Amino acid sequence: MYKVFKNSLFVAIFSVTRLFAQQHAAEMGANAGQDTLAHSVNIPSGAHSAAEEVHGAGPAVMDANHAEHAAGGHEEAEFKADEAAFHHISDLNVYSIGPWNLPLPCMLYAPNKGWSLFSSSKFGIDNAHHGSGHKAIDGYVLNHGKVMRVKDPNFPQTEVEVGHFTTREEVIDEKGTKKDVSYVEYNGAEYALEHQSTADGGLFGGGITNFYDFSITKNVAGMFLILALLSWLFLSMAKKYKSAPGTAPTGIQKLIEPLIMFIKEEVAIPFIGAKHERFMPLLLSLFFLILALNLFGQIPFFGGTNVTGNLGFTVVLAIIVTLVVNFNGNKHYWQHIFNMPGIPGWVKFLITPIEVLSIFIKPLTLSLRLFANITAGHIVILVFISLIFMFGKSGANPGAAWGASVASVLLALFISAIELLVAFIQAYVFTLLTASYIGAATEEHHAHEAEH
Amino acid sequence: MTGSIAAIGMGLAAIGAGIGVGNIGGKAFEAIARQPEAVGDIRANMILTAALVEGAALIAILMAFLVK
């Protein structure tokens, strides 16, 4: 599944570029060995210039040490834009801002081991290797920013030094399903790693694993930050409204008040009607939370928390909306689902299953819409930035990297501008659809009652 | 080149949604041109309908993931 997503998205957006890259694959292969060699001593000069170019450019989401990794390529010689893009939108156990890797608390649980609580700085995060730890703790390792667990139970369950990480695509079952499997080097032998545990059931890699990751990850840290920011903003504003009621808004109130009035007058009142006051807290919370997280995820060189582009987060929001809609549904709402009025009996056999399904399809599309829009936007920007490294041929061709960087930074700027619009539109659409679902569930159907 | 036929399905879903959203946008602008005072209602309904059309495309893309 991951492979399909990778391929189709990539082919759709960048078939031309890919072709260009493939044309030069032979030359790349020739340069590859030399690059790896160069990297073990220091960073190739081409990589350095490309890295600085990314650093100087406004919208670039990659930072210098990512660029080093991308250009130097310590494990894979050829730069893979799709892998780089997926790495940068995924949730990590370390918060990277520029060359600094801020450690985050790890809370890990394995059924046969119990809880392991420690800071991810204990892994000994290596800048040159891009968020990979050179230590294993309790059998856990940090592979490119993600906590993974060594599968082998004989692996030492204390603090030990480990070597390089490698990732290979392997056939994992008799059906021939291929999946990326990571390995860690220890004492000259390779140990297979369990994937990072995810709640999406392995839809985008990972899956149900032999350990559970309850850590404060990059995304969770970003959410806490936004929680603090929004709480401070709205509580201080509320205080102002209480202390000086009826006065003209000042400062940040001038920005927030029109947005609140917009949600109230353009979303809540037209779709919900008289009962809108009751649902305003939910609608405003959804709108400002999604808007703030969307915008926060777009700040370049700030870790790039991708909270609203995470399926787990959007699904939880959609579940909350579904519970609110269905618990507030009046008898007309349920009557329209199970016993649609005004149609012949035999049609009801067709309509009722569709209506019941729609209860579940509504939150599904609600969560997927937000997730897909934000994720697609981030991937497009990252792939534009990746062009620099693809044209630069992994640091072998600094001239082409400089040339491509001009074009790709301009394109990334353009997409970033569109993404600002999308950040607002998606927050608005999520709130609008929530309001329309609530409105449909709480509406009084006077017209129908008159007919019957 | 390796790949899956599901990728073609994703592309078709995108084409369908593109046509749908394009129609919605075009008609909404026509409606706004005819009746500029109703711009608020038209815009809200335009975005709502576009979101619903997009939902169909998203389900198709999800299915493309699942059937692989």
Side-chain angles (χ1 to χ4, degrees):
Chain A
M1 277 176 267
Y2 169 66
K3 182 99 194 189
V4 174
F5 188 67
K6 249 174 20 181
N7 282 343
S8 47
L9 197 79
F10 200 72
V11 166
I13 304 166
F14 276 111
S15 50
V16 182
T17 327
R18 186 105 197 205
L19 281 172
F20 183 85
Q22 276 166 357
Q23 250 177 14
H24 296 266
E27 291 166 59
M28 275 175 158
N31 289 324
Q34 185 200 335
D35 279 347
T36 325
L37 209 71
H39 188 70
S40 60
V41 184
N42 59 2
I43 308 144
S45 60
H48 218 70
S49 60
E52 265 159 25
E53 177 60 28
V54 173
H55 216 58
V61 191
M62 280 189 191
D63 47 51
N65 71 331
H66 289 168
E68 276 169 30
H69 155 71
H74 50 96
E75 279 121 25
E76 64 286 306
E78 191 187 341
F79 175 67
K80 295 192 181 77
D82 44 358
E83 278 176 15
F86 272 94
H87 172 78
H88 284 84
I89 60 164
S90 57
D91 198 7
L92 303 178
N93 290 71
V94 55
Y95 204 120
S96 302
I97 300 177
W100 301 284
N101 289 314
L102 308 180
L104 295 167
C106 288
M107 296 181 240
L108 307 156
Y109 177 80
N112 54 355
K113 170 107 187 131
W115 287 92
S116 303
L117 307 171
F118 53 88
S119 158
S120 63
S121 64
K122 269 183 89 182
F123 284 120
I125 303 160
D126 194 348
N127 266 340
H129 288 103
H130 184 8
S132 290
H134 55 75
K135 274 184 188 146
I137 296 160
D138 297 353
Y140 296 104
V141 290
L142 192 70
N143 180 10
H144 289 73
K146 288 179 189 170
V147 168
M148 292 181 177
R149 190 159 190 257
V150 180
K151 274 180 183 163
D152 190 351
N154 299 323
F155 190 82
Q157 300 290 309
T158 49
E159 204 174 309
V160 288
E161 289 276 332
V162 293
H164 277 292
F165 293 92
T166 38
T167 302
R168 290 193 292 269
E169 197 178 59
E170 284 182 0
V171 177
I172 51 160
D173 58 12
E174 62 276 8
K175 278 197 293 179
T177 316
K178 282 183 179 171
K179 205 167 184 184
D180 288 339
V181 183
S182 297
Y183 290 90
V184 66
E185 190 191 326
Y186 171 68
N187 269 348
E190 272 190 333
Y191 288 84
L193 297 175
E194 186 73 271
H195 271 278
Q196 193 187 31
S197 63
T198 50
D200 62 10
L203 195 62
F204 297 99
I208 309 299
T209 54
N210 72 356
F211 77 103
Y212 300 93
D213 192 350
F214 296 96
S215 307
I216 307 294
T217 55
K218 192 171 83 171
N219 281 357
V220 181
M223 264 194 282
F224 280 148
L225 210 64
I226 288 298
L227 174 75
L229 187 75
L230 286 183
S231 308
W232 168 76
L233 194 68
F234 284 100
L235 288 177
S236 64
M237 263 178 65
K239 209 190 282 170
K240 179 86 197 317
Y241 282 112
K242 268 186 190 154
S243 65
T247 54
T250 54
I252 194 76
Q253 272 180 297
K254 286 180 187 163
L255 174 72
I256 303 295
E257 200 181 293
L259 285 175
I260 295 176
M261 294 312 287
F262 172 75
I263 295 298
K264 187 184 163 105
E265 282 166 9
E266 301 288 327
V267 176
I269 293 176
F271 283 95
I272 303 178
K275 278 178 266 180
H276 73 272
E277 283 290 342
R278 215 179 132 210
F279 299 102
M280 277 305 282
L282 174 75
L283 296 178
L284 287 173
S285 305
L286 283 174
F287 179 76
F288 283 105
L289 180 65
I290 296 171
L291 181 64
L293 287 170
N294 282 351
L295 293 175
F296 186 63
Q298 285 186 37
I299 302 173
F301 309 124
F302 204 69
T305 56
N306 185 23
V307 184
T308 40
N310 185 309
L311 202 52
F313 176 78
T314 58
V315 163
V316 168
L317 284 190
I319 288 171
I320 292 171
V321 169
T322 311
L323 291 178
V324 170
V325 167
N326 286 297
F327 279 111
N328 284 290
N330 57 17
K331 74 172 200 283
H332 302 289
Y333 170 72
W334 293 109
Q335 193 193 359
H336 272 75
I337 288 172
F338 291 110
N339 188 16
M340 181 78 85
I343 55 169
W346 62 271
V347 183
K348 283 177 188 168
F349 285 104
L350 298 173
I351 294 288
T352 304
I354 295 172
E355 288 287 335
V356 171
L357 262 182
S358 80
I359 299 176
F360 302 101
I361 290 175
K362 279 173 184 172
L364 183 77
T365 56
L366 206 55
S367 58
L368 276 179
R369 180 178 300 110
L370 182 58
F371 161 74
N373 272 287
I374 302 303
T375 305
H378 284 238
I379 288 177
V380 171
I381 292 176
L382 286 164
V383 173
F384 275 131
I385 297 300
S386 299
L387 284 184
I388 299 170
F389 307 105
M390 290 172 66
F391 278 85
K393 291 185 211 157
S394 305
N397 193 347
W402 277 99
S405 63
V406 175
S408 63
V409 164
L410 284 175
L411 285 168
L413 248 178
F414 170 67
I415 298 293
S416 296
I418 291 180
E419 282 301 294
L420 280 180
L421 196 68
V422 169
F424 184 82
I425 288 179
Q426 287 310 315
Y428 171 58
V429 164
F430 198 102
T431 319
L432 186 88
L433 286 170
T434 304
S436 87
Y437 295 155
I438 292 171
T442 56
E443 201 180 5
E444 300 293 338
H445 290 266
H446 295 297
H448 283 300
E449 270 162 26
E451 278 170 27
H452 298 294
Chain B
M1 195 173 76
T2 56
S4 159
I5 196 144
I8 296 173
M10 287 168 87
L12 289 175
I15 291 172
I19 294 171
V21 175
N23 267 337
I24 292 162
K27 293 283 178 193
F29 278 116
E30 272 177 29
I32 292 169
R34 275 167 203 244
Q35 216 175 349
E37 65 271 21
V39 61
D41 288 346
I42 292 169
R43 197 195 294 120
N45 284 309
M46 176 184 84
I47 291 174
L48 183 69
T49 324
L52 293 175
V53 170
E54 206 186 33
L58 287 172
I59 291 174
I61 286 172
L62 185 78
M63 288 301 150
F65 277 137
L66 294 178
V67 298
K68 191 175 176 181

Short mmCIF file of all heavy atoms in Angstrom, two decimals, chain A residues 354 356-367 437, chain B residues 55 59:
data_model
loop_
_atom_site.label_atom_id
_atom_site.label_comp_id
_atom_site.label_asym_id
_atom_site.label_seq_id
_atom_site.Cartn_x
_atom_site.Cartn_y
_atom_site.Cartn_z
N ILE A 354 -27.98 2.28 2.98
CA ILE A 354 -27.14 3.40 2.56
C ILE A 354 -27.08 4.46 3.64
O ILE A 354 -26.02 4.99 3.96
CB ILE A 354 -27.67 3.99 1.23
CG1 ILE A 354 -27.54 2.95 0.12
CG2 ILE A 354 -26.94 5.26 0.85
CD1 ILE A 354 -28.19 3.35 -1.18
N VAL A 356 -27.54 4.01 6.86
CA VAL A 356 -26.77 3.50 8.00
C VAL A 356 -25.28 3.60 7.69
O VAL A 356 -24.48 4.03 8.53
CB VAL A 356 -27.18 2.05 8.34
CG1 VAL A 356 -26.23 1.45 9.36
CG2 VAL A 356 -28.59 2.02 8.87
N LEU A 357 -24.92 3.23 6.46
CA LEU A 357 -23.51 3.35 6.05
C LEU A 357 -23.03 4.79 6.13
O LEU A 357 -21.90 5.06 6.51
CB LEU A 357 -23.34 2.85 4.62
CG LEU A 357 -22.86 1.43 4.42
CD1 LEU A 357 -22.71 1.15 2.94
CD2 LEU A 357 -21.53 1.21 5.13
N SER A 358 -23.92 5.72 5.79
CA SER A 358 -23.49 7.12 5.74
C SER A 358 -23.10 7.63 7.12
O SER A 358 -22.31 8.57 7.24
CB SER A 358 -24.58 7.99 5.13
OG SER A 358 -25.56 8.29 6.08
N ILE A 359 -23.66 7.01 8.19
CA ILE A 359 -23.23 7.40 9.55
C ILE A 359 -21.73 7.21 9.67
O ILE A 359 -21.04 8.00 10.30
CB ILE A 359 -23.96 6.55 10.62
CG1 ILE A 359 -25.46 6.77 10.55
CG2 ILE A 359 -23.44 6.88 12.01
CD1 ILE A 359 -26.23 5.88 11.51
N PHE A 360 -21.20 6.14 9.06
CA PHE A 360 -19.78 5.83 9.19
C PHE A 360 -18.94 6.48 8.09
O PHE A 360 -17.76 6.75 8.29
CB PHE A 360 -19.57 4.31 9.18
CG PHE A 360 -20.33 3.63 10.27
CD1 PHE A 360 -21.52 2.99 10.01
CD2 PHE A 360 -19.85 3.67 11.58
CE1 PHE A 360 -22.24 2.39 11.04
CE2 PHE A 360 -20.56 3.08 12.60
CZ PHE A 360 -21.76 2.43 12.33
N ILE A 361 -19.56 6.72 6.94
CA ILE A 361 -18.80 7.33 5.84
C ILE A 361 -18.51 8.80 6.12
O ILE A 361 -17.44 9.30 5.78
CB ILE A 361 -19.56 7.14 4.50
CG1 ILE A 361 -19.51 5.67 4.10
CG2 ILE A 361 -18.96 7.99 3.40
CD1 ILE A 361 -20.30 5.34 2.89
N LYS A 362 -19.45 9.46 6.80
CA LYS A 362 -19.25 10.89 7.12
C LYS A 362 -17.96 11.12 7.89
O LYS A 362 -17.13 11.92 7.46
CB LYS A 362 -20.45 11.43 7.89
CG LYS A 362 -21.62 11.80 7.00
CD LYS A 362 -22.80 12.15 7.85
CE LYS A 362 -24.03 12.43 7.02
NZ LYS A 362 -25.22 12.57 7.90
N PRO A 363 -17.74 10.46 9.04
CA PRO A 363 -16.48 10.71 9.74
C PRO A 363 -15.26 10.22 8.96
O PRO A 363 -14.18 10.82 9.06
CB PRO A 363 -16.62 9.94 11.05
CG PRO A 363 -17.67 8.94 10.80
CD PRO A 363 -18.61 9.57 9.82
N LEU A 364 -15.45 9.17 8.16
CA LEU A 364 -14.31 8.65 7.36
C LEU A 364 -13.82 9.72 6.38
O LEU A 364 -12.62 10.02 6.32
CB LEU A 364 -14.75 7.40 6.60
CG LEU A 364 -13.68 6.70 5.78
CD1 LEU A 364 -12.79 5.89 6.70
CD2 LEU A 364 -14.30 5.79 4.74
N THR A 365 -14.76 10.31 5.65
CA THR A 365 -14.35 11.34 4.68
C THR A 365 -13.86 12.60 5.39
O THR A 365 -12.91 13.24 4.93
CB THR A 365 -15.51 11.71 3.74
OG1 THR A 365 -16.60 12.14 4.53
CG2 THR A 365 -15.93 10.56 2.87
N LEU A 366 -14.48 12.89 6.54
CA LEU A 366 -14.06 14.08 7.29
C LEU A 366 -12.59 13.96 7.68
O LEU A 366 -11.81 14.90 7.53
CB LEU A 366 -14.94 14.18 8.54
CG LEU A 366 -15.16 15.53 9.20
CD1 LEU A 366 -15.70 16.53 8.23
CD2 LEU A 366 -16.12 15.37 10.36
N SER A 367 -12.21 12.77 8.18
CA SER A 367 -10.83 12.61 8.64
C SER A 367 -9.88 12.50 7.45
O SER A 367 -8.80 13.09 7.46
CB SER A 367 -10.70 11.37 9.52
OG SER A 367 -11.12 10.23 8.82
N TYR A 437 -23.55 18.59 9.59
CA TYR A 437 -23.99 17.29 10.13
C TYR A 437 -24.83 17.50 11.38
O TYR A 437 -25.87 16.85 11.56
CB TYR A 437 -22.78 16.41 10.46
CG TYR A 437 -21.97 15.98 9.26
CD1 TYR A 437 -20.63 15.64 9.40
CD2 TYR A 437 -22.53 15.91 7.99
CE1 TYR A 437 -19.87 15.25 8.31
CE2 TYR A 437 -21.78 15.54 6.90
CZ TYR A 437 -20.45 15.21 7.06
OH TYR A 437 -19.70 14.83 5.99
N GLY B 55 -14.88 14.09 -1.08
CA GLY B 55 -15.02 12.92 -0.22
C GLY B 55 -15.12 11.64 -1.02
O GLY B 55 -14.49 10.62 -0.68
N ILE B 59 -12.51 8.47 -0.87
CA ILE B 59 -12.87 7.07 -0.63
C ILE B 59 -12.25 6.20 -1.71
O ILE B 59 -11.69 5.13 -1.44
CB ILE B 59 -14.40 6.91 -0.58
CG1 ILE B 59 -14.95 7.56 0.68
CG2 ILE B 59 -14.79 5.43 -0.60
CD1 ILE B 59 -16.44 7.58 0.76
#
